[in-house]
Amino acid sequence: MKLLSLITALLATLTTAHPVFDDLITPSTPLDYKRAPAASLRQVSNFGSNPSNVKMYIYVPDNLAASPPIIVAIHYCTGTAQAYYTNSPYARLADQKGFIVIYPESPYSGTCWDVSSRATLTHNGGGNSNSIANMVDYTLKTYNGDATKVFVTGSSSGAMMTNVMAATYPALFAAGIVYSGVPAGCFYSQAGGTNAWNSSCANGQVNGTPQVWAKVVRDMYPGYEGARPKMEIYHGSADTTLNANNYNETIKQWAGVLGFDYQKPDTTQDNVPQSGYTTYTWGERKLVGVYARGVGHSVPIRGSDDMEFFGL
C-alpha cells in the first residue's frame, strides 16, 4: 500500500505550480514521415502473455541489423499503432539504421493508455505495462535483439506510458524519451480505475518533492536496485491538455531517481535544439529536459535528436 499512500499524499497537497525553469529551443527540419518504407507494419498476436489485451504491431526493416536495437513507440489518445507508424519518423529511421520498432495499441475506447491502475503501475502487475514488456521480450528472442539497446518513447498518453514503462521495467530499457506527458504515478486512481483520467494531475496541481516522486517510482518495482534508464523530457509551455507544471514534476521525479539536484542542471542552453526551446542536462545527459516556449500539446517528435540520445 506504499504507492497508494504516497500518491494520496501528493493529491492531498495541491499547491501553486512551481515556476518552469526558463525558456526553450526549436527542432531541425522535420523528417518526411509520409514516404512509405519498403517493409510494412504487421500485427503479432502470439507474443506471449497479454493480461490487458494490448495489441502488438511491429515494423521490421528489410535491412535488419544482425542484433537489432528495439524502439517501443507508444501512441497518444485517439491514436492507433497505424497512426503512430505513419505520423512518426521511427519506421523511416529504422530503414536507415536497421532497428525494430514495436507499436503497441491501446485496447480501450478512445485509445488512451492505462496509467492509473495499480496493475499497470506495478512490475509484472498484469496491466498495460506488463503486456508491453512482454512484447519486448518476444522481440528480443525472435529477432536476436540487442538487450542493451532497447528504448521507449511516446507522445501525450504514450508519453505517460513511457514514464510508467521506465519506472516499472527499468532493467528492460536503456533510455526513454517523453513527449508531453506526466510523472509516473501522477494519474493514479484512488478509486481503482483502469484507464482513468486524473484532472488534478492533468491541470498541473499535483506537486511533490524529488524524494517523494522517486519513492513512487521505486515502489512500482520493490526491491529493484539495478541501473535506471536515462531520460529525456519534452514539454511545451502552452500545453492546455497536460499543464506545463508536469514538466517540472517529471524532471523532479527522474532527478530524484537518478540522484541529481533538479534545481542545478549541469548545463542550460537557450535556443537549443531550436529557437524558443531551452535544454537542460544533468549527469552527462543522463537526464535531459527540453522546455518549448509557446509550444502546445504535444511537442513535435524530433527523430534525428532521438537517434542521438539513444545512441543509434
Side-chain angles (χ1 to χ4, degrees), residues 6 10 208-217:
L6 280 168
L10 282 170
T209 65
Q211 294 76 22
V212 168
W213 277 124
K215 194 168 191 315
V216 169
V217 168

Side-chain angles (χ1 to χ4, degrees), residues 11 19 27 44 46 62 66 72 74 76-77 128 168 202-203 210 217 230 236 247 254 305 309:
L11 293 171
V44 177
N46 60 342
D62 291 337
V72 181
I74 309 178
Y76 41 85
C77 288
N128 286 177
T168 52
N203 292 335
V217 168
K230 65 179 185 177
Y247 168 82
W254 290 113
D305 291 345
F309 187 70

